[in-house]
Amino acid sequence: MSKNDIWVIGDKIIPYNLALISKARAMADICGGSVTALSLYEDNPQDCIRAGADGVYLLRGLQEVSDDSAIAEALAGIISKDKPGTVLFQATIRGRAIAPAIAAILGTGLTADCIDLDMDQAGCLLQKRPALGDSIIAEIICEKHRPQMATVRPGILPEPVWRENSTGQIDKIPVRILPKTVRTGFLKSRNDYALSQAGIILAGGAGIGSREGFDYLHHIASCIGGCVGASRAAVDAGYAPYHWQIGQTGVAVRPRLYIAVGISGSVQHLVGMNTSDYIIAVNHDRNAPIFSYADYGIVGDWKETMDQFLLSWKENNHEL
Ligand SMILES: Cc1cc2nc3c(=O)[nH]c(=O)nc-3n(C[C@H](O)[C@H](O)[C@H](O)COP(=O)(O)OP(=O)(O)OC[C@H]3O[C@@H](n4cnc5c(N)ncnc54)[C@H](O)[C@@H]3O)c2cc1C
């Protein structure tokens, strides 16, 4: 391995992982390194290669392991053997747990939750993330230690640049670990879907006014096959849990359809959703900034608008 080689360790959210591989490809081309994709869960090696990887390690034996510290120890062992210069993860729940543990074991630094990455010709990773209360975008480098490690917010990078007909080596790597904790079962989460993967998002803001209002949004979202999201003001008010928050300090999303209900359209919210294919805004204030970004706007009370929406959905004989 060369010190300019980049590893991308993949989590479950495949499309965003492929976007990260594509980003790694662009960076490896700048510094003359290679890109290796390590797949923890899914076997999609050809897509990884099409997205820009020179090779893929299919890690065998981790699928059923829920002990993040044991996985981190195993991955740290593989990394210290091959010594890539850069190791990247998505900032998913698992990535946020595993990546810092690996960095601690390897005695290196980690920049968490990056919103963009770049590389200089010497192979120094430029890690960009909000800092100082999110008032600036800091560019962080790790000069003295290797590997350079970063987690990247899922959904924040552009779509992968596909390299059709590209080839690469695929290796199956058996990984033996000794989990210290054992998975006995799952508690079903209310949001039993990944917000960052959703095709339709019905997002509520402070204008929803109550938890019950969000229960209603959740009902409508499940009727139309979507997920519920929230603004920070709604989360701070206790109407919705934090993991529904969309925006600068929440999840970044890029659905086909984003319906913003009772959301004013602050810049911190927009940064997490303004690349959605279509945006519909519902707000009773016709001057709300969200209307400047929406493809369609409805000026009116959110509850009355959503009642009408649900009614016409039922009348059109859609499945409920
Ligand atoms: C460092 C930092 C990070 C931040 N990160 C995030 C982030 O990740 N995500 C985020 O969302 N925000 C974030 N914020 C907060 C952000 O600045 C805004 O305060 C927040 O997005 C406002 O949420 P909102 O639009 O729901 O509330 P408001 O701005 O209060 O807007 C509520 C809207 O609801 C409308 N409304 C009220 N009643 C009704 C009704 N009955 N029918 C229809 N419309 C109605 C109102 O006209 C208004 O436009 C951050 C702020 C800072 C400083």
Side-chain angles (χ1 to χ4, degrees):
M1 283 264 153
S2 126
K3 68 179 176 53
N4 291 347
D5 291 343
I6 304 175
W7 280 14
V8 179
I9 302 188
D11 200 352
K12 274 184 184 157
I13 305 180
I14 305 301
Y16 300 143
N17 198 39
L18 297 173
L20 187 53
I21 291 170
S22 202
K23 171 56 108 175
R25 172 79 269 148
M27 296 194 298
D29 288 344
I30 293 171
C31 65
S34 69
V35 177
T36 303
L38 283 78
S39 176
L40 292 186
Y41 301 99
E42 304 277 344
D43 295 346
N44 62 337
Q46 293 307 337
D47 280 349
C48 294
I49 288 166
R50 282 176 61 230
D54 297 295
V56 182
Y57 288 170
L58 298 174
L59 303 177
R60 289 283 175 252
L62 297 179
Q63 282 80 357
E64 293 305 315
V65 179
S66 58
D67 185 339
D68 290 339
S69 63
I71 294 176
E73 275 178 34
L75 290 173
I78 300 170
I79 293 167
S80 53
K81 193 162 140 274
D82 279 16
K83 297 194 175 7
T86 302
V87 178
L88 307 175
F89 291 80
Q90 291 180 73
T92 54
I93 291 172
R94 175 147 273 186
R96 284 175 193 195
I98 294 175
I102 295 175
I105 295 168
L106 298 177
T108 188
L110 171 95
T111 305
D113 223 15
C114 293
I115 59 169
D116 200 6
L117 298 171
D118 207 345
M119 186 71 82
D120 71 15
Q121 288 182 337
C124 179
L125 184 67
L126 313 176
Q127 305 159 79
K128 300 173 194 195
R129 58 149 299 154
L132 297 179
D134 293 344
S135 58
I136 59 161
I137 304 296
E139 193 170 272
I140 297 166
I141 59 171
C142 177
E143 272 186 316
K144 296 192 179 148
H145 299 281
R146 289 293 180 270
Q148 315 167 90
M149 291 184 60
T151 63
V152 178
R153 203 180 279 191
I156 204 89
L157 295 175
E159 301 277 311
V161 178
W162 298 112
R163 304 183 313 162
E164 300 303 341
N165 306 322
S166 47
T167 55
Q169 186 167 332
I170 298 164
D171 293 308
K172 290 185 180 168
I173 312 263
V175 184
R176 289 203 47 204
I177 64 171
L178 296 171
K180 298 173 190 98
T181 57
V182 177
R183 182 167 76 199
T184 56
F186 286 106
L187 290 175
K188 198 166 165 60
S189 126
R190 181 131 179 263
N191 247 20
D192 48 0
Y193 37 64
L195 190 57
S196 53
Q197 275 182 295
I200 301 175
I201 293 176
L202 181 56
I208 300 301
S210 67
R211 278 190 197 197
E212 292 69 31
F214 268 85
D215 286 342
Y216 188 48
L217 291 188
H218 195 268
H219 169 64
I220 298 172
S222 51
C223 291
I224 61 177
C227 294
V228 185
S231 70
R232 176 161 155 180
V235 171
D236 288 349
Y239 305 155
Y242 169 69
H243 64 273
W244 290 7
Q245 184 176 315
I246 291 165
Q248 186 175 319
T249 42
V251 187
V253 297
R254 191 180 294 169
R256 292 191 312 283
L257 176 62
Y258 191 90
I259 310 175
V261 187
I263 292 179
S264 58
S266 70
V267 68
Q268 292 91 354
H269 187 78
L270 293 165
V271 75
M273 44 64 76
N274 64 2
T275 53
S276 306
D277 288 352
Y278 289 97
I279 298 172
I280 300 177
V282 180
N283 199 303
H284 68 184
D285 174 7
R286 64 174 58 250
N287 296 315
I290 190 79
F291 286 127
S292 308
Y293 300 88
D295 298 286
Y296 300 95
I298 300 168
V299 178
D301 177 71
W302 77 268
K303 179 69 170 48
E304 286 171 15
T305 309
M306 286 293 111
D307 285 345
Q308 285 301 319
F309 177 79
L310 196 56
L311 202 62
S312 65
W313 188 271
K314 285 177 181 169
E315 280 171 4
N316 284 312
N317 293 320
H318 289 286
E319 208 176 297
L320 284 173

